[in-house]
Amino acid sequence: MARSILVSGPSTAAALGERLDLTPAAVRRHLDQMVDEGAVEARDPRPQAQRGRGRPAKVFALTELGREGFDQKYDDLAVDALRFVRDTAGEEGVRAFAERRAAFIEERFGAVSQARPELSPAEVVATVLTDEGYAAAVRELPLAGEQLCQQHCPVSHVAHEFPQLCEAETQAIGRVLGRHVQRLATIAHGDGVCTTCIPGPPVQHSPSTTNEKEKVTS
């Protein structure tokens, strides 16, 4: 159940039951145990997710404790190493390390694009990130472009103290997509998922349209 929440993001009990083919009683039993253990927590759904009448169902999200079992065995060592870098090379040293670590996005983007031509550029980024353990996916936003959602972050504990890791990833994503992207939420700072807004490409005006505008303003 924890992995289902990890991959799909904060979920209602009903959604978990459907994905895992479990009865409501079985789902509730597992969730109660995970809540008691501190592995998940119940949250109010996002305002835009509340539809219809009645009290909206709670969503269950992994806590920091719940994420510890997923690829984070060496967090303490990584934090100590970056503290050493900061103490010896300053903030610039930490930024250089973060940029080098995020380089895999640019290094693998071209190869994945060629191997998977059916994917959009944002989906290519999601594939690259997923291969590195981020459980990423893309969803379209009406009139606003796309949103890159990372349901897991293998360095979230480290990034909590060193946000330069998140900043370097965001900058690398922007460079491969050729546009300014904005990180809206991060797991490292307590959000249930890392979300990055990818605006749509700028509108290209035809020469005739531009000439008409020039005539009107002249």
Side-chain angles (χ1 to χ4, degrees):
M1 188 169 292
R3 181 164 291 279
S4 180
I5 297 175
L6 171 71
V7 172
S8 300
S11 306
T12 63
L16 287 167
E18 291 180 5
R19 287 201 300 266
L20 301 176
D21 194 22
L22 295 174
T23 65
V27 172
R28 176 57 59 186
R29 184 169 60 253
H30 285 297
L31 285 174
D32 286 345
Q33 180 179 352
M34 294 172 70
V35 169
D36 290 341
E37 294 173 348
V40 301
E41 61 183 4
R43 299 177 178 177
D44 291 323
R46 295 178 179 178
Q48 60 266 32
Q50 300 181 15
R51 297 180 179 178
R53 298 180 179 179
R55 186 176 181 180
K58 293 280 188 179
V59 296
F60 293 86
L62 287 178
T63 63
E64 288 299 312
L65 180 62
R67 294 179 182 277
E68 287 182 353
F70 298 98
D71 305 324
Q72 294 173 333
K73 297 179 180 178
Y74 301 104
D75 285 345
D76 291 342
L77 177 61
V79 169
D80 287 343
L82 278 176
R83 287 173 180 168
F84 176 80
V85 171
R86 182 180 59 195
D87 293 343
T88 56
E91 296 296 331
E92 186 61 34
V94 175
R95 282 194 295 271
F97 174 86
E99 291 171 0
R100 175 174 294 186
R101 187 191 174 281
F104 74 91
I105 297 173
E106 294 173 274
E107 291 170 354
R108 298 199 55 234
F109 183 84
V112 175
S113 295
Q114 292 182 356
R116 302 285 304 278
E118 75 279 8
L119 299 180
S120 70
E123 289 171 334
V124 171
V125 173
T127 300
V128 171
L129 290 170
T130 296
D131 290 344
E132 291 292 321
Y134 288 81
V138 176
R139 67 178 182 180
E140 293 186 5
L141 298 177
L143 305 177
E146 298 170 301
Q147 189 174 76
L148 177 66
C149 301
Q150 298 162 229
Q151 304 293 354
H152 179 52
C153 176
V155 297
S156 61
H157 286 122
V158 184
H160 180 74
E161 182 171 342
F162 295 96
Q164 296 92 331
L165 295 171
C166 298
E167 295 166 3
E169 288 176 7
T170 304
Q171 292 168 2
I173 292 170
R175 285 195 294 270
V176 296
L177 296 179
R179 65 192 76 167
H180 176 73
V181 302
Q182 183 177 6
R183 186 65 63 91
L184 304 178
T186 63
I187 294 171
H189 288 87
D191 299 299
V193 59
C194 294
T195 56
T196 304
C197 180
I198 304 172
V203 178
Q204 299 294 329
H205 297 289
S206 64
S208 59
T209 303
T210 303
N211 291 337
E212 288 297 327
K213 289 183 178 180
E214 290 177 351
K215 292 178 181 178
V216 171
T217 57
S218 61

